[in-house]
Amino acid sequence: MASRQEVAERAGVSVAVVSYVLNGKNNVKMETRERVLAAMKELGYEPNLLARSLKTKKTGQLAVLVNYLGNPFEAGLLLHIESAAREEAFLVFFQSYTPDTEEQLISSLRGRVDGIILLGQELMAATYDRILEWEVPILSVTQSPNAQDRGIPYMDVDWSVLYKQAIQHLKDNGHTSIGYMTDTESSSYHVKRLQYFQQAMLAEGLELQEKALLSGGGRLENASEDFQKFVDKHPSGLPFSAIICTNDLMAAGILDVCKKNGIQIPEQLAILGSENILMTTLTEPQLSVIHYPRDEVGRLAMEMMKELMEKRPVAARTLTGHLVIRGSS
């Protein structure tokens, strides 16, 4: 097996620079880092992670907690986070999160990871306190109320601005009665998106009626079932002419029900999603969406995690998204 010395000679750098790259230090130019990583790959170099962790008290591993891997939005975030982490020589492992196994899951991470990334989970307040006591950096992709209360940094798009733009788009097309489908049971970030939507409606002089707030379970099949029941309860017509969904899977579920029930899109019902997953370009008609920059989020998550590891103050960061108008609105 190749040694660090051989990697250094192949990359044209010192052994110290190879060590910097392996340890994720930020004092190495990107061009040099890429050269070292390429040399490691060419030589088949495999660092002794156990020996390194005993010496540095670092594992070189990050954990990402996932709500539901069947959701392309979270799977896409995970892929971009993993890609950014790999460039910094970190290994990433992921674990599906369910509240009933929270204590066991978090306990299993102690001593095994250098940082924890949440994909919008709502952990118990005591769990955040435990992780902070261990001095393990933690950050949240998308907003989580309990995390914010503990000062856990997060990144997200500016939903207030984006929902105002979406509502204005619908108003420009004659829609003043707008519904919203969400999932407030399993994903805390859906709660935050609902809050921003309600604020945006009021800012645009509209109000979200109770009968226009639907629960879709967060998944395509649940949304289809729930929206079909809603359609059945309103045989004379829906109480709104447009609907925005917290995620794209639910928007696709609503679209499927409309096609089965002869509801014309967008003439009788305009539909918008909130993430721009690949599926939204494959429906008929294609779904209008808010674009969530998952690639940018992946890079930023790694940048913020490194800053946390260096014990630097890290503030929440808001990214810019944009509307993608297609045939469904």
Side-chain angles (χ1 to χ4, degrees):
M1 185 175 65
S3 66
R4 282 193 194 189
Q5 181 64 49
E6 291 172 312
V7 172
E9 291 174 356
R10 175 66 64 92
V13 300
S14 66
V15 174
V17 170
V18 175
S19 297
Y20 293 152
V21 172
L22 288 172
N23 293 320
K25 300 294 184 180
N26 62 1
N27 58 345
V28 181
K29 293 181 179 179
M30 181 58 68
E31 179 183 351
T32 303
R33 184 185 303 278
E34 291 176 352
R35 200 162 66 246
V36 170
L37 293 175
M40 290 170 56
K41 184 176 181 180
E42 291 170 7
L43 295 172
Y45 175 76
E46 296 181 2
N48 189 327
L49 296 178
L50 177 59
R52 187 176 74 181
S53 66
L54 291 173
K55 181 178 180 180
T56 65
K57 300 188 184 303
K58 299 294 183 181
T59 67
Q61 299 184 130
L62 301 175
V64 180
L65 302 191
V66 183
N67 286 301
Y68 172 49
L69 273 176
N71 185 337
F73 171 70
E74 291 194 16
L77 282 173
L78 178 61
L79 288 173
H80 287 294
I81 291 171
E82 193 275 336
S83 177
R86 191 189 318 121
E87 292 180 0
E88 300 294 340
F90 278 93
L91 299 177
V92 171
F93 70 85
F94 60 88
Q95 176 65 50
S96 296
Y97 167 82
T98 55
D100 59 316
T101 61
E102 178 174 321
E103 184 173 354
Q104 178 184 2
L105 171 60
I106 297 301
S107 294
S108 72
L109 296 178
R110 186 173 188 179
R112 295 178 59 200
V113 298
D114 298 333
I116 299 172
I117 298 176
L118 308 176
L119 296 192
Q121 284 80 3
E122 183 71 274
L123 303 182
M124 294 183 293
T127 300
Y128 290 115
D129 293 340
R130 287 174 62 198
I131 296 171
L132 294 173
E133 286 176 3
W134 299 341
E135 297 186 346
V136 175
I138 180 171
L139 65 87
S140 179
V141 175
T142 74
Q143 296 184 53
S144 174
N146 272 3
Q148 291 174 243
D149 292 343
R150 287 296 187 279
I152 305 298
Y154 70 85
M155 72 209 71
D156 210 341
V157 296
D158 193 337
W159 289 106
S160 178
V161 170
L162 291 167
Y163 277 141
K164 285 181 183 178
Q165 293 175 357
I167 293 167
Q168 186 60 59
H169 161 68
L170 293 174
K171 286 175 64 177
D172 289 345
N173 284 278
H175 302 285
T176 56
S177 180
I178 302 172
Y180 191 79
M181 178 176 276
T182 186
D183 168 32
T184 58
E185 297 297 322
S186 62
S187 300
S188 64
Y189 64 84
H190 286 205
V191 176
K192 298 300 295 185
R193 293 183 190 180
L194 172 59
Q195 292 174 354
Y196 284 120
F197 175 76
Q198 291 172 317
Q199 293 170 10
M201 287 282 282
L202 291 174
E204 292 297 321
L206 303 175
E207 185 176 354
L208 177 61
Q209 302 295 325
E210 184 176 351
K211 62 183 178 181
L213 177 59
L214 286 66
S215 176
R219 305 184 184 185
L220 189 152
E221 58 272 22
N222 299 124
S224 294
E225 180 179 345
D226 291 342
F227 194 66
Q228 182 61 64
K229 293 178 181 177
F230 186 80
V231 170
D232 293 340
K233 289 180 180 179
H234 298 84
S236 59
L238 299 176
F240 44 77
S241 62
I243 187 167
I244 297 177
C245 299
T246 304
N247 72 13
D248 293 343
L249 290 179
M250 292 190 289
I254 289 177
L255 178 60
D256 181 59
V257 171
C258 288
K259 294 177 70 173
K260 291 177 179 177
N261 288 269
I263 299 173
Q264 298 300 308
I265 306 296
E267 292 81 8
Q268 292 177 280
L269 183 67
I271 306 172
L272 276 87
S274 295
E275 295 163 345
N276 198 19
I277 63 175
L278 177 61
M279 178 190 295
T280 61
T281 65
L282 304 177
T283 58
E284 178 57 43
Q286 293 185 349
L287 285 165
S288 295
V289 292
I290 290 171
H291 174 72
Y292 195 100
R294 290 182 291 281
D295 54 346
E296 187 177 352
V297 167
R299 291 193 300 271
L300 184 57
M302 197 60 228
E303 290 177 14
M304 294 174 69
M305 179 56 72
K306 288 180 63 180
E307 291 173 5
L308 288 170
M309 289 177 176
E310 295 166 1
K311 300 187 182 303
R312 294 160 57 186
V314 178
R317 301 185 189 179
T318 302
L319 306 177
T320 302
H322 60 269
L323 287 184
V324 180
I325 305 304
R326 302 188 182 118
S328 69
S329 66

